[in-house]
Amino acid sequence: MSTKEGIESQIMDLWDEIFDLDDKSKEELEAKYAEWREVEPRLDEGVDELVIHIEAMKGISDGSMLIYKEVKEIKIRYKQQKDEIEAKIDALNKEKARM
């Protein structure tokens, strides 16, 4: 059976994984946004405004739409990974509370 200190250590390690995922996600998205700026000048107006524009489907190039989909996939992938880690943290916190 694990000790509270051991569980706390595991939780801290999982939080480190989340912070690492955040960093990797940010780096990957920044690279994709740089690529996107080359095909979509409206990106300089802001990502949120461009997403609204794209979702309204007003004159978006195929290249821009492809990158938009890739950005969305990146965000979904990292969110899923973070959700899995957070579920492990929750389980460890429950185990720790039972001790």
Side-chain angles (χ1 to χ4, degrees), residues 20-76:
D20 288 344
L21 279 175
D22 285 340
D23 291 343
K24 288 178 185 176
S25 172
K26 184 178 179 183
E27 288 174 16
E28 197 169 339
L29 287 170
E30 284 176 1
K32 193 53 69 177
Y33 290 148
E35 181 182 337
W36 203 358
R37 278 187 181 82
E38 294 177 16
V39 295
E40 186 57 63
R42 291 196 62 176
L43 192 62
D44 290 332
E45 296 173 21
V47 173
D48 293 333
E49 289 79 6
L50 181 63
V51 168
I52 291 167
H53 175 67
I54 285 176
E55 289 176 347
M57 300 298 290
K58 297 176 186 168
I60 299 301
S61 70
D62 290 342
S64 185
M65 189 53 114
L66 176 65
I67 296 171
Y68 165 73
K69 289 177 182 177
E70 290 171 349
V71 164
K72 220 170 169 178
E73 289 171 5
I74 290 167
K75 288 181 177 183
I76 290 168

Side-chain angles (χ1 to χ4, degrees), residues 76-89:
I76 290 168
R77 179 170 28 96
Y78 280 104
K79 169 118 177 56
Q80 288 172 338
Q81 290 174 327
K82 284 176 62 173
D83 288 348
E84 290 171 7
I85 294 170
E86 287 170 351
K88 291 176 186 177
I89 290 171

